[in-house]
Amino acid sequence: MTVSRREFLSIGAAATAGAAIAPGISLIDLAQAKSPEEAVTAAQRWGLLIDTNKCNKGCTACVDACHTENGIDHEQLKGSEATKPHWIRKVEVKDPNTGFEHSLPVMCQHCQEPPCVDVCPTGASFKRDDGIVLVDRHICIGCRYCMMACPYKARSFEHEDITDQKEHAPRGKGTVESCTLCVHKVDRGDGTTACAEACEEEGHRAILFGDLNDPKSEIARTVRAKATRRIREDLNLDNSVRYIGI
Amino acid sequence: MLRKSQKFASVLALLAALGLATSSIASGHGDEKHNNSRVPVPKHHTAKGEKCVEPTDVMRSNHMEFILHQRDKTVHQGIRTKQHSLKNCVACHADPDTKSVLKNADGSEGFCAECHSYTAVKIDCFGCHTDKANSNKQTMRPIDDIGRKVIANTGGAK
Amino acid sequence: MKKAIHFRMIEGSSLGYGALLAVFGAMIALGLGATYYMEHNGHWVTGMTNKVIWGTPHVFAVFLIVAASGALNVASIASAFNRAAYKPMARLSALLAITLLVGGLAVLVLDLGRPDRLIVAMTYYNFKSIFAWNIYLYTGFMAIVGIYIWVMMDNSVRKYYKAAGIAAFIWRLALTTGTGSIFGFLVARQAYDAAIMAPMFIIMSFSFGLAVFLLVLMASMNWTGRPIGDRILNRLKNLQGVFVAAVLYFAVAYHLTNLYATEHHGIERFILVDGGIYTQLFWIGQVLVGGIIPLALLFSPLARSRAVIALAAILVIVGGMAQMYVIIIGGQAYPLVMFPGMEVSSAFQDGTVAEYSPSLPEVLLGLGGVGIALAATTFALKVLPFLPASLADADIDPHHKPEAAAETSAEAA
């Protein structure tokens, strides 16, 4: 069959346009929030990739953003520093042999074999199907065993009465809490967490959020191409939070 | 030692006394103006909407069941339907001025607190959940997965 | 000829009895007050933080629970191991097992962040958690020992005595293993991730439980004018000495093993050398006061004096509390090792030894648990025949020879 030049060009243009848009369409499908009636499934596995080479020592944008997003206000608390909750913190690491220093944010690592879930007597500490480890604070009795078990000191105990909570982040005295991977934003379809967002705004772009199960997502492609490690890998907990440069 | 009949009589007297005491306390079932109880009968003003997500009598007896089941679905499965969502309840039933379901602008008890005071059932929810409607302005900032430019934010600061 | 053992309730009408109950009652009241203070204000009023998560109440609670299972030993020796000389003490032993456990559990429950959710803890279970298992182990223990006491007191079910004793013994081993595993299962912490934790707790229970039992026995018999014979006291004293030595051995095994692995040098250095209060409590409290001195006292001629035996028991308890403090609090104070070999710092106290000092509410709560245990024991002795009428040599020893008794009493005089 002969194809005229005009036909060839228009078909070609259509094909190219389709090829350009198609990945975008499928990505848009994936990035859209699941509808509110649907339960989460294991089809997705949310995770973070933190590039410590891009992380600045003095910068605490991620910490401030997380605390603002979730209504954590250290000023209104009466207890000592050690009783104040930290869902995320900046850790400075120095190698005493070489002198090399770097800085990185540490939060709940959302392990797939979480020790905190194993030890919780009531099952309040649990792992959602999409990989986010949460505390169901309705059934948390405040025994703090999960805090003993966590290798990353990710969990904090609410030592004081809290007021003016954010609607999407209920928090109260007597229960244990930790980074929720901004589950309220994830379910809403924001496609990011507060810390990742803030780091992006600061221009460092050290924190990347995404679906590790989606081979086309930036995070999945990056961890496939670059060497990444997890803190305390020897414990074999299969953390969803990976780091470059530790 | 009391004889059997004396014991029986004293137990009966005790029961009668209890009965009298209870009935005098419980006689506060008058109308709003003339009730005898010390706790004000709830007035139940609702600011928004014409009706609740469920019929009133169903809500009165079962609202705790709805909330209980919804919380498990939301927390464990991420199901965030609005009908039985606590956030939604608060959004509708909050006092228009104080925005709270625990305290009204005129100092009286808010929507939830009214009945719970009257029935002396402690509310556990608002130790953790905010009792205020719309307590945060939400920013919607979807970041494209393949790193395209951030779409401009649509809301105010947090 | 086998003599019948007589048990008799104590009279409990003296001023001394009333005063004793009043003292325990005051301890309980203070403990409840401390609980209200902590629960109402929140745990920020205590010394416990996000770093040292479990504090003084847990030291008391774990000690009481460990001693509870150990207190049952005397009864187990009588029934499961068939030593007739211990039979008269079996009821008191079982009673103490229950009351100490109740005291310890009360402290744990009252320290919860949400104690009002106890019913949640009893209805929602995650069976991978040793805590969940412990709830069954603890309540089951109270049931089994309750049945055991019934079998001991009610002659109509006497034939189940041995079976009940063996069941109680096995259950108590499971319980202490469960308690030790609370720590042994924590892979993340340098001080805890060790299989030896469970058997170490079992041995500690033997020693601490017997020490508490000895003191309660001596006090309750002496204060009600009932005799304790030298023979039985001698056996108990020797047993205590053996257990103290065993605890020392386990401590040596635990630390030597850790010292071999370079990975654990940090925690060992901390406990043994430069941990400040923890090092002091380890060497002076656990090893010296809780181990070497009682050992020396119990196996020397000094131990013919009952006062010395009682002193040794007190020292064992003091040393035991020190050991618990080092394990529970020292183990938490040492930082989590997230980046082995690196120097770490953060706003959340990473990389540093956590500061902790016991606060008054915590101590009062712990003492409240002790008060509950002792008050319950004191009260139970009056209500039911737990205490033997006499433990004199002539009355209990089936192989007793009067001439031998005269010799020992002449020596002791």
Side-chain angles (χ1 to χ4, degrees):
Chain A
M1 146 187 153
T2 53
V3 178
S4 76
R5 215 177 301 151
R6 195 172 282 177
E7 279 170 325
F8 175 81
L9 280 174
S10 59
I11 290 169
T16 316
I21 299 170
I25 289 172
S26 56
L27 275 172
I28 287 169
D29 276 341
L30 283 167
Q32 245 168 16
K34 62 163 187 66
S35 70
E37 304 86 54
E38 282 172 59
V40 293
T41 63
Q44 273 133 349
R45 180 183 165 181
W46 303 112
L48 289 175
L49 175 62
I50 297 171
D51 189 344
T52 66
N53 299 316
K54 297 183 186 160
C55 182
N56 271 20
K57 185 167 163 148
C59 174
T60 56
C62 51
V63 178
D64 299 330
C66 170
H67 288 181
T68 312
E69 175 73 20
N70 293 297
I72 302 170
D73 179 7
H74 282 183
E75 301 303 312
Q76 70 165 197
L77 295 175
K78 297 174 277 199
S80 65
E81 277 309 304
T83 63
K84 297 192 179 169
H86 287 78
W87 289 20
I88 179 175
R89 67 216 189 252
K90 287 296 295 294
V91 176
E92 319 295 326
V93 182
K94 178 175 166 183
D95 187 340
N97 291 327
T98 62
F100 177 66
E101 288 182 39
H102 61 181
S103 163
L104 53 127
V106 176
M107 69 295 282
C108 170
Q109 303 286 289
H110 297 281
C111 315
Q112 299 305 289
E113 306 282 341
C116 62
V117 172
D118 286 344
V119 301
C120 176
T122 59
S125 178
F126 72 102
K127 183 183 66 146
R128 223 165 70 148
D129 283 338
D130 58 356
I132 303 182
V133 177
L134 296 167
V135 180
D136 181 351
R137 293 202 238 145
H138 302 116
I139 51 179
C140 173
I141 56 174
C143 73
R144 289 106 73 201
Y145 196 20
C146 59
M147 293 171 68
M148 291 290 272
C150 178
Y152 308 106
K153 207 152 66 98
R155 292 246 161 121
S156 301
F157 180 60
E158 254 319 318
H159 286 78
E160 308 184 34
D161 273 314
I162 308 285
T163 51
D164 293 325
Q165 297 94 333
K166 293 284 162 80
E167 256 183 347
H168 53 248
R171 309 168 51 227
K173 179 182 76 175
T175 56
V176 173
E177 54 182 13
S178 67
C179 156
T180 57
L181 213 58
C182 279
V183 65
H184 57 284
K185 286 168 74 79
V186 172
D187 285 352
R188 202 164 60 199
D190 290 6
T192 184
T193 57
C195 52
E197 218 175 0
C199 195
E200 174 89 31
E201 266 170 37
E202 288 292 311
H204 302 308
R205 299 180 179 214
I207 307 179
L208 177 63
F209 170 87
D211 180 3
L212 289 164
N213 274 356
D214 173 18
K216 296 200 212 74
S217 68
E218 183 180 356
I219 190 174
R221 286 186 287 117
T222 314
V223 300
R224 206 162 45 230
K226 287 192 188 169
T228 57
R229 290 206 47 222
R230 292 168 285 199
I231 309 176
R232 289 302 308 267
E233 239 164 7
D234 60 307
L235 294 175
N236 225 4
L237 303 173
D238 194 10
N239 312 10
S240 300
V241 176
R242 287 177 173 270
Y243 291 82
I244 294 175
I246 58 166
Chain B
M1 285 298 286
L2 294 173
R3 279 179 306 193
K4 234 183 192 162
S5 56
Q6 284 176 324
K7 279 193 202 169
F8 182 68
S10 54
V11 169
L12 208 59
L14 188 64
L15 283 173
L18 271 172
L20 267 172
T22 327
S23 60
S24 68
I25 291 170
S27 64
H29 263 309
D31 58 30
E32 282 183 31
K33 274 194 272 187
H34 298 297
N35 78 71
N36 298 331
S37 75
R38 287 167 292 171
V39 181
V41 177
K43 292 188 198 66
H44 249 90
H45 296 312
T46 328
K48 279 194 195 171
E50 284 173 11
K51 59 183 178 131
C52 186
V53 296
E54 302 280 350
T56 309
D57 50 330
V58 172
M59 266 307 193
R60 269 209 192 111
S61 5
N62 296 333
H63 68 278
M64 59 295 267
E65 297 283 323
F66 297 138
I67 298 176
L68 204 71
H69 286 125
Q70 178 74 18
R71 78 178 195 190
D72 289 338
K73 288 196 289 190
T74 304
V75 174
H76 288 263
Q77 297 174 289
I79 294 172
R80 294 178 189 261
T81 48
K82 277 200 151 19
Q83 188 174 5
H84 293 155
S85 135
L86 187 71
K87 206 156 73 170
N88 202 36
C89 304
V90 172
C92 256
H93 288 295
D95 181 86
D97 299 309
T98 62
K99 292 259 186 293
S100 164
V101 290
L102 292 181
K103 213 133 199 80
N104 290 336
D106 58 3
S108 64
E109 300 204 283
F111 182 78
C112 302
E114 259 188 320
C115 281
H116 275 265
S117 287
Y118 186 71
T119 53
V121 176
K122 187 170 174 194
I123 313 179
D124 196 27
C125 316
F126 300 113
C128 288
H129 288 271
T130 179
D131 59 302
K132 302 222 169 51
N134 299 319
S135 69
N136 50 275
K137 291 175 215 123
Q138 296 169 356
T139 41
M140 302 287 287
R141 283 173 170 265
I143 290 185
D144 193 292
D145 227 1
I146 59 173
R148 286 203 289 256
K149 260 212 303 242
V150 174
I151 300 167
N153 65 332
T154 52
K158 291 170 273 244
Chain C
M1 189 193 72
K2 217 168 151 192
K3 285 215 161 126
I5 310 166
H6 293 287
F7 294 92
R8 208 172 60 227
M9 297 171 271
I10 63 176
E11 263 204 44
S13 53
S14 69
L15 203 61
Y17 183 81
L20 198 62
L21 274 182
V23 167
F24 296 148
M27 284 166 78
I28 296 174
L30 284 171
L32 289 175
T35 305
Y36 178 73
Y37 178 65
M38 291 199 293
E39 210 268 319
H40 187 68
N41 289 300
H43 274 64
W44 70 275
V45 299
T46 69
M48 295 184 271
T49 63
N50 284 327
K51 187 73 209 297
V52 178
I53 300 153
W54 287 346
T56 309
H58 298 84
V59 173
F60 274 96
V62 176
F63 181 86
L64 283 169
I65 292 172
V66 162
S69 54
L72 192 65
N73 267 0
V74 169
S76 303
I77 296 174
S79 58
F81 297 100
N82 236 344
R83 292 269 174 274
Y86 289 81
K87 276 214 168 87
M89 301 180 289
R91 294 188 193 185
L92 177 65
S93 160
L95 170 69
L96 255 185
I98 293 184
T99 55
L100 287 171
L101 187 64
V102 168
L105 289 177
V107 173
L108 277 186
V109 167
L110 292 174
D111 167 79
L112 287 176
R114 297 293 306 248
D116 53 311
R117 289 191 180 165
L118 188 59
I119 197 82
V120 172
M122 298 199 286
T123 46
Y124 286 73
Y125 285 105
N126 165 28
F127 280 115
K128 195 162 176 196
S129 164
I130 192 68
F131 255 23
W133 279 109
N134 279 350
I135 294 175
Y136 282 114
L137 284 171
Y138 294 155
T139 48
F141 182 74
M142 289 193 270
I144 287 190
V145 178
I147 293 174
Y148 187 24
I149 292 177
W150 169 40
V151 163
M152 282 193 277
M153 287 192 177
D154 185 353
N155 276 329
S156 62
V157 288
R158 195 83 195 153
K159 58 182 185 286
Y160 299 116
Y161 177 66
K162 183 129 192 197
I166 295 176
F169 181 64
I170 294 177
W171 196 276
R172 142 281 184 281
L173 284 179
L175 185 151
T176 323
T177 307
T179 310
S181 299
I182 292 175
F183 301 99
F185 284 176
L186 296 178
V187 296
R189 296 197 180 250
Q190 297 286 308
Y192 298 151
D193 176 26
I196 203 175
M197 296 303 285
M200 196 164 80
F201 269 64
I202 297 234
I203 290 301
M204 292 198 303
S205 78
F206 281 14
S207 177
F208 306 159
L210 184 58
V212 174
F213 176 78
L214 253 176
L215 286 175
V216 171
L217 179 73
M218 290 169 81
S220 53
M221 295 295 274
N222 287 344
W223 296 345
T224 53
R226 304 179 189 202
I228 308 182
D230 280 330
R231 277 212 124 89
I232 193 68
L233 203 55
N234 224 35
R235 288 188 191 217
L236 289 174
K237 146 190 111 58
N238 286 338
L239 203 57
Q240 179 74 75
V242 169
F243 290 159
V244 169
V247 172
L248 271 178
Y249 163 73
F250 266 82
V252 166
Y254 170 75
H255 286 287
L256 276 184
T257 316
N258 267 0
L259 279 169
Y260 194 83
T262 316
E263 183 201 346
H264 284 118
H265 280 182
I267 182 70
E268 285 301 310
R269 194 185 174 75
F270 176 68
I271 301 282
L272 300 179
V273 179
D274 59 14
I277 180 73
Y278 306 107
T279 307
Q280 289 162 6
L281 281 172
F282 175 75
W283 287 113
I284 303 175
Q286 178 179 335
V287 175
L288 193 64
V289 169
I292 297 179
I293 297 182
L295 210 53
L297 285 177
L298 290 169
F299 286 128
S300 75
L302 288 169
R304 278 195 223 124
S305 151
R306 294 186 177 206
V308 168
I309 297 178
L311 174 66
I314 292 175
L315 291 180
V316 168
I317 292 175
V318 169
M321 289 286 286
Q323 185 165 3
M324 283 300 170
Y325 195 93
V326 170
I327 291 177
I328 294 177
I329 299 183
Q332 294 174 79
Y334 188 73
L336 280 168
V337 177
M338 287 201 292
F339 302 101
M342 302 286 150
E343 288 169 10
V344 174
S345 66
S346 81
F348 198 27
Q349 297 89 36
D350 283 278
T352 57
V353 171
E355 284 182 19
Y356 170 82
S357 51
S359 63
L360 185 63
E362 294 173 68
V363 176
L364 288 179
L365 176 57
L367 288 175
V370 175
I372 291 176
L374 294 177
T377 312
T378 310
F379 182 66
L381 288 180
K382 175 173 177 169
V383 169
L384 282 172
F386 283 103
L387 211 56
S390 162
L391 286 174
D393 295 340
D395 292 323
I396 60 158
D397 190 350
H399 306 293
H400 173 70
K401 294 185 187 59
E403 321 86 63
E407 273 174 38
T408 47
S409 49
E411 282 172 17

